[in-house]
Amino acid sequence: MATPSSAAAPASPATVLESAPRLDPKTLDSFRRLGFLQADLDPMGRLAPEPQPALEQDADPETAAWARRWYCGTIGVEFMHIPEPERRHWIRERMETDPQPPDRDRVLARIMRAETFEQLVQTRYQGSKRFSIEGVAALIPALGEMLERAAENSAQQVVLAMSHRGRLSVILNIIGRPAAQIFAGFEDVDARSVLGAGDVKYHLGATGTYAARNGREIHLHLVSNPSHLEAVDPVAVGRVRAKQTRLDDRDWTQVMPVVLHGDAAFAGQGILAETLNLADLPGFQVGGTVQVIVNNLIGFTTEPRCLHSGRFASDVAKRLPIPIFHVNGDDPDAVVRVAALAVDYRYAFHSDVVVDVIGYRKYGHSEVDDPTITQPLLYKKIEAHPPLWQLYAQRAGVSQEEAERRVAAMRAELDAAQEEAKGLDKKPSLRTLPRYWDRYKGGPFKPEYEVATGIGREQLGELARALTRWPEGFHVHRKIEALLKQRAEMGEGRRPVDYGMAEALAFASLVRLGTPVRLSGQDSRRGTFAHRHAVLIDVETGAEHTPLAHVAPGQARFEIYDSMLSEAAVLGFEYGFSRDYPEALVLWEAQFGDFANGAQVIIDQFIAASEDKWGLLSGLVMLLPHGYEGQGPEHSSARLERYLTLAAEDNIQICQPSNAAQYFHLLRRQALRPWRKPLVVLTPKSMLRHHDSASPLEDFGRDRFLNVVPDPEVANARRVLLCTGKIAHELRHERERRQDRSTAVVTLDQLYPLPKDEIAAELARHPNCNDLVWVQEEPANMGAMFYVHPRLERLAGRRVRSVRRSASGSPATGSAKAHLMEQQTLLTLAFTTGVTGGGA
Ligand SMILES: Cc1ncc(C[n+]2csc(CCOP(=O)(O)OP(=O)(O)O)c2C)c(N)n1
């Protein structure tokens, strides 16, 4: 955990002991602990203060009256669970004092602008969804104040993430996009430009600049967001980490994340809880995220009692030792005060902090829903409740007449912008991409993007030497010493190179060239299958040495992290990182490919779709161990079929390298091509160190990755077995056993984009083939069959036989013996002309 830097001073420091020496410590302690339960937090009175015997019984009345003022007003703070006394003290000091009044004119203007915008849309675009912020409009001055405090703390960039509620208002009033651009979304201008693509207006990302009072400019970035609530959380944090890494922002000053949530989503979505857990983990820390709950005490039609078991939606945040500020959304002064406290706390302690702004929702879930059907009583009350600008104008001493005049002026400005939007004929872009994306390409693959990926023997030798040495006096584990010796022999060409070494050589060659490499996953430093050993541990001292970080002077960064045991948040984080570091090779590894479906939302909503929806690219690599080895239904399949159904318009690449050299070329290709596309790699398990998949050193000097790997042993075959992955090696052994000289085994190492020309060229090498077969280990309803088979028939212009396991509800058998029987059947069928079918 980081040590505090400078704790910003409170408005007028008044510690309890200095200012009020006669107060009863026990009573005070009770209020500090439990006062929030009696605070006045809900403008609609739903969160009625909970009677707390501990606050009343045996309390010293004078102290209770004094403490109630600080802890039971419109702010309720949970902080006594924080173990560090200086942090609790920091909060106490600031809570137990009268704050300086905010710039009320500015706060009022922000509320007016927010509510006027919503009202205009309400009248002009009836029936369209906008997810109004009315009821929690104090969010807008709160965000403004957060930016002011960030500027005071020397921030250069703030990354915001949020879902639908109030998003358009944030884009207008905080990010600062011109109103006409936002209205263009309602006008749906230039619809032709997004036929079959694009996204709804309240999901789009936006960038802007905030000019703070102290003269600083803060670059703002609101992250593009899918409907899937909270899925954006780890993506935003990963983006912040990448920006911080890029700026070498070691004390987490320059880039601050602010993530906004709905109360129902905060309480219900597991990915939020996962993301909170990243806060202090090596490789994932960002120096604290400001978490804001835009709390209207309702989720669609569902009430809080059905949404969370605890009293507050924020209770899940108590998994971290961080403060939670609840604040009544109808008291903008208090909201702004809490906003400032939250950012100052983040900067003081590099900690997450939660701001729970409690208000209500003026309309239905969207403006087309009628909430009086499900919450009739509540909505009678809401109907009669004045808008916040009226309440606050009164408090700020602005006459009704003057307030109405200001609102009318804002309305006129927005009306003009709406007129302007009607005249637009091009869809405006709400964002500017950073310069570091200039060099990179998306869209369909073009041959000109191809690069040579081979490297010479001498260079390979040099890299291997760097990878197999360790500092003087470092005590290497004896098994690792033996492994490094073998790797050194591989580098000299005296032993075939295995996957582990191939990967290390790829990484080493890239960092030496200046391409940073970042890899995370569960147990990735050693490698689930004990094949990587990227970090050496001194057996005497526990010290660490990472050879890849010491390849050459001036090399790029090499980072590798054992991640927490999560798929969704970690994959989301790495995707986010890749979005702000296109020059780096960023990889996420699943423990077994099967577990990646725990991150399906990130795969479907971001990795596969972000270019189509938002025009945003990523070069993220997913390493997914895959292969049928008798380890049961959940340790066999990376569910290749899922990725193939997601593939279209060259949105991703799906590869299964059949040997170590292929893996090496594939990783280098991914980093060196200017084409930035997510890459899904099915990686081996038992074959990691198997001599069948090891490669001679010469293959590393070959020009490039082969999308289709021909059979070097058989020309003009009578039978061609086309497959991917481990089964190719087994088919070759079966062929040998049968002494079959007329069967070729060809592997399709790139499945998507399908290398049609290379497949056709390979088939042309076997003009007398009369048995073309697709062979896969997976059941008929899984694997690549559904995708390859029809395309292959079209390409070959003939019937193609298929050999695979019978369709099944689960990917594999739980019995190792049954697995072997099935596997043998597959091999037999592959060599039996005329039989199509399953091996189980
Ligand atoms: C993962 C997921 N499940 C369901 C939905 C459908 N949905 C959209 S908004 C919403 C209610 C959200 O409530 P809350 O988080 O309190 O935010 P609010 O809309 O009240 O601001 C639901 C259930 C969704 N978008 N994402």
Side-chain angles (χ1 to χ4, degrees):
M1 204 166 279
T3 47
S5 58
S6 64
S12 55
T15 60
V16 173
L17 290 180
E18 283 159 13
S19 64
R22 283 179 299 106
L23 294 173
D24 168 43
K26 223 172 129 231
T27 305
L28 256 181
D29 188 70
S30 295
F31 275 87
R32 286 173 183 151
R33 272 177 207 291
L34 300 171
F36 70 95
L37 293 169
Q38 291 209 346
D40 166 23
L41 298 175
D42 173 19
M44 292 297 142
R46 291 158 293 178
L47 259 181
E50 245 183 22
Q52 289 299 313
L55 292 182
E56 314 298 338
Q57 278 165 16
D58 306 326
D60 165 51
E62 202 187 332
T63 309
W66 188 85
R68 194 174 290 286
R69 178 167 163 226
W70 309 124
Y71 290 107
C72 304
T74 49
I75 299 175
V77 55
E78 299 182 64
F79 71 110
M80 293 296 278
H81 58 290
I82 301 173
E84 291 87 349
E86 74 276 12
R87 297 186 186 200
R88 295 197 304 271
H89 190 80
W90 189 100
I91 292 171
R92 242 168 64 185
E93 264 197 327
R94 284 156 181 77
M95 286 301 295
E96 294 170 13
T97 185
D98 280 319
Q100 276 177 352
D103 178 347
R104 284 187 157 162
D105 226 40
R106 201 171 154 112
V107 173
L108 179 61
R110 283 184 162 140
I111 293 169
M112 281 175 165
R113 234 174 109 74
E115 292 186 329
T116 309
F117 167 73
E118 300 288 359
Q119 278 306 305
L120 185 144
V121 180
Q122 178 73 9
T123 46
R124 293 288 163 80
Y125 299 102
Q126 267 187 10
S128 69
K129 294 183 189 178
R130 69 174 194 279
F131 303 105
S132 162
I133 192 62
E134 288 155 283
V136 199
L139 173 72
I140 300 300
L143 289 175
E145 186 64 17
M146 285 181 185
L147 297 180
E148 289 295 338
R149 295 310 307 164
E152 286 298 321
N153 284 287
S154 307
Q156 288 181 13
Q157 301 186 37
V158 170
V159 173
L160 294 127
M162 68 186 298
S163 60
H164 50 287
R165 180 80 49 212
R167 190 176 174 100
L168 297 175
S169 185
V170 168
I171 295 177
L172 175 70
N173 295 307
I174 297 296
I175 306 293
R177 298 310 306 188
Q181 292 187 353
I182 295 163
F183 290 127
F186 286 97
E187 299 291 338
D188 208 0
V189 297
D190 194 16
R192 282 189 169 279
S193 69
V194 284
L195 280 173
D199 201 350
V200 291
K201 53 190 170 295
Y202 43 85
H203 287 169
L204 299 176
T207 54
T209 305
Y210 181 80
R213 271 181 299 227
N214 67 359
R216 271 185 172 271
E217 287 202 332
I218 300 186
H219 175 75
L220 300 177
H221 182 160
L222 175 66
V223 180
S224 303
N225 176 80
S227 272
H228 292 58
L229 295 166
E230 304 297 329
V232 74
D233 302 353
V235 175
V237 182
R239 299 196 65 156
V240 170
R241 175 85 187 189
K243 287 171 186 284
Q244 290 172 336
T245 308
R246 179 176 280 294
L247 293 167
D248 200 20
D249 183 13
R250 287 175 200 219
D251 62 1
W252 301 301
T253 308
Q254 298 176 45
V255 193
M256 179 180 85
V258 178
V259 181
L260 284 72
H261 319 261
D263 50 309
F266 195 85
Q269 291 293 306
I271 195 167
L272 171 273
E274 288 185 18
T275 307
L276 289 176
N277 197 37
L278 292 171
D280 285 317
L281 302 183
F284 299 89
Q285 276 172 301
V286 291
T289 299
V290 180
Q291 312 279 1
V292 182
I293 306 177
V294 184
N295 191 344
N296 47 28
L297 291 177
I298 196 162
F300 213 134
T301 64
T302 305
E303 312 230 356
R305 67 193 161 82
C306 303
L307 291 167
H308 39 89
S309 291
R311 180 168 167 82
F312 291 100
S314 59
D315 285 353
V316 63
K318 284 198 232 172
R319 74 172 303 176
L320 296 179
I322 61 170
I324 299 168
F325 294 94
H326 306 284
V327 58
N328 188 319
D330 260 9
D331 182 354
D333 288 353
V335 176
V336 166
R337 179 182 175 203
V338 161
L341 278 177
V343 172
D344 286 349
Y345 186 89
R346 184 265 177 196
Y347 272 94
F349 302 108
H350 304 304
S351 155
D352 276 29
V353 51
V354 178
V355 174
D356 179 20
V357 186
I358 300 174
Y360 58 95
R361 192 184 67 196
K362 178 141 174 71
Y363 306 98
H365 169 61
S366 79
E367 291 63 34
V368 297
D369 284 312
D370 179 357
T372 63
I373 295 167
T374 46
Q375 278 80 26
L377 305 185
L378 172 65
Y379 273 83
K380 262 189 204 145
K381 228 171 167 178
I382 291 175
E383 177 84 51
H385 197 74
L388 189 57
W389 69 266
Q390 281 180 13
L391 294 177
Y392 193 64
Q394 230 172 17
R395 174 160 337 154
V398 176
S399 70
Q400 194 179 336
E401 208 182 11
E402 168 62 10
E404 279 170 6
R405 193 193 57 72
R406 286 194 209 169
V407 166
M410 285 177 191
R411 170 83 187 215
E413 224 179 89
L414 290 169
D415 276 335
Q418 196 221 353
E419 280 306 310
E420 190 189 326
K422 284 187 192 159
L424 292 176
D425 51 9
K426 269 196 91 64
K427 194 173 271 303
S429 171
L430 300 177
R431 54 126 215 264
T432 315
L433 279 182
R435 298 298 308 270
Y436 45 78
W437 272 103
D438 286 358
R439 280 196 291 136
Y440 299 99
K441 316 279 182 206
F445 178 71
K446 294 184 184 156
E448 72 224 43
Y449 299 153
E450 206 50 275
V451 287
T453 50
I455 52 180
R457 218 182 148 112
E458 201 173 310
Q459 265 195 55
L460 287 164
E462 252 172 59
L463 295 174
R465 280 192 290 284
L467 290 172
T468 52
R469 58 178 179 238
W470 55 86
E472 188 105 12
F474 194 92
H475 309 94
V476 179
H477 192 286
R478 103 191 125 68
K479 288 187 186 164
I480 302 305
E481 193 171 345
L483 174 105
L484 294 178
K485 213 168 133 217
Q486 288 180 3
R487 286 189 175 177
E489 289 170 13
M490 293 175 194
E492 289 163 4
R494 291 197 285 131
R495 174 191 273 274
V497 182
D498 65 12
Y499 264 84
M501 183 58 167
E503 182 187 85
L505 285 169
F507 291 164
S509 66
L510 290 171
V511 290
R512 193 172 66 170
L513 259 184
T515 301
V517 174
R518 176 187 162 99
L519 166 62
S520 86
Q522 291 151 27
D523 310 290
S524 287
R525 301 199 318 165
R526 187 202 74 171
T528 297
F529 309 100
H531 66 288
R532 183 171 289 123
H533 300 289
V535 181
L536 312 182
I537 315 286
D538 187 314
V539 291
E540 303 279 325
T541 66
E544 295 184 354
H545 174 68
T546 305
L548 277 159
H550 299 91
V551 173
Q555 69 168 76
R557 230 182 21 262
F558 175 78
E559 298 176 86
I560 185 159
Y561 300 105
D562 289 338
S563 77
M564 66 172 178
L565 210 170
S566 133
E567 282 73 30
V570 181
L571 180 61
F573 183 100
E574 299 303 346
Y575 168 79
F577 194 97
S578 76
R579 284 281 314 117
D580 275 287
Y581 229 127
E583 314 92 300
L585 182 67
V586 184
L587 309 98
W588 174 77
E589 183 175 59
Q591 185 123 67
F592 283 80
D594 310 64
F595 300 120
N597 58 10
Q600 201 63 46
V601 176
I602 301 297
I603 297 163
D604 293 348
Q605 265 49 52
F606 290 95
I607 293 174
S610 62
E611 186 176 356
D612 189 64
K613 292 192 294 188
W614 309 317
L616 298 177
L617 309 177
S618 159
L620 180 69
V621 182
M622 294 174 65
L623 300 178
L624 307 178
H626 172 86
Y628 279 61
E629 301 178 349
Q631 291 191 62
E634 277 85 41
H635 292 82
S636 297
S637 175
R639 305 253 185 198
L640 173 58
E641 61 279 2
R642 295 254 167 86
Y643 299 94
L644 288 167
T645 62
L646 290 171
E649 303 175 287
D650 285 7
N651 60 337
I652 53 175
Q653 309 162 80
I654 306 170
C655 296
Q656 186 165 19
S658 55
N659 59 51
Q662 280 282 87
Y663 184 44
F664 167 87
H665 288 289
L666 180 61
L667 292 175
R668 282 178 51 78
R669 181 180 93 167
Q670 180 70 357
L672 299 176
R673 272 177 177 175
W675 201 46
R676 281 292 168 269
K677 293 283 167 166
L679 167 64
V680 178
V681 190
L682 277 70
T683 57
K685 298 177 295 183
S686 67
M687 300 306 285
L688 281 167
R689 271 164 303 192
H690 202 284
H691 51 82
D692 283 351
S693 59
S695 303
L697 200 60
E698 299 77 74
D699 285 3
F700 292 73
R702 199 180 54 215
D703 219 22
R704 58 180 54 117
F705 178 77
L706 303 173
N707 294 325
V708 176
V709 181
D711 190 329
E713 289 170 36
V714 181
N716 199 4
R718 307 294 300 236
R719 176 185 296 120
V720 174
L721 304 178
L722 188 64
C723 57
T724 74
K726 173 177 72 70
I727 197 145
H729 303 294
E730 291 168 335
L731 288 168
R732 287 196 195 104
H733 282 293
E734 179 68 13
R735 178 175 68 183
E736 203 156 310
R737 197 180 65 75
R738 291 170 178 255
Q739 303 207 332
D740 177 329
R741 312 253 177 272
S742 62
T743 297
V745 178
V746 176
T747 62
L748 186 56
D749 282 22
Q750 176 166 302
L751 287 142
Y752 190 83
L754 190 69
K756 290 189 198 142
D757 292 348
E758 283 126 298
I759 296 173
E762 185 52 23
L763 295 182
R765 288 184 57 235
H766 307 286
N768 295 324
C769 165
N770 56 18
D771 190 19
L772 178 57
V773 193
W774 171 253
V775 187
Q776 68 175 33
E777 296 184 281
E778 298 86 349
N781 55 329
M782 299 176 192
M785 191 178 85
F786 81 96
Y787 162 81
V788 175
H789 191 266
R791 288 168 176 79
L792 195 56
E793 287 201 331
R794 236 173 291 143
L795 206 65
R798 49 171 297 173
R799 227 190 116 244
V800 175
R801 201 154 66 82
S802 69
V803 172
R804 61 325 195 245
R805 284 178 165 79
S806 301
S808 165
S810 89
T813 170
S815 153
K817 280 193 186 150
H819 161 77
L820 285 176
M821 286 189 263
E822 291 172 13
Q823 204 73 0
Q824 189 49 52
T825 310
L826 289 183
L827 298 178
T828 305
L829 291 177
F831 286 87
T832 311
T833 305
V835 183
T836 278

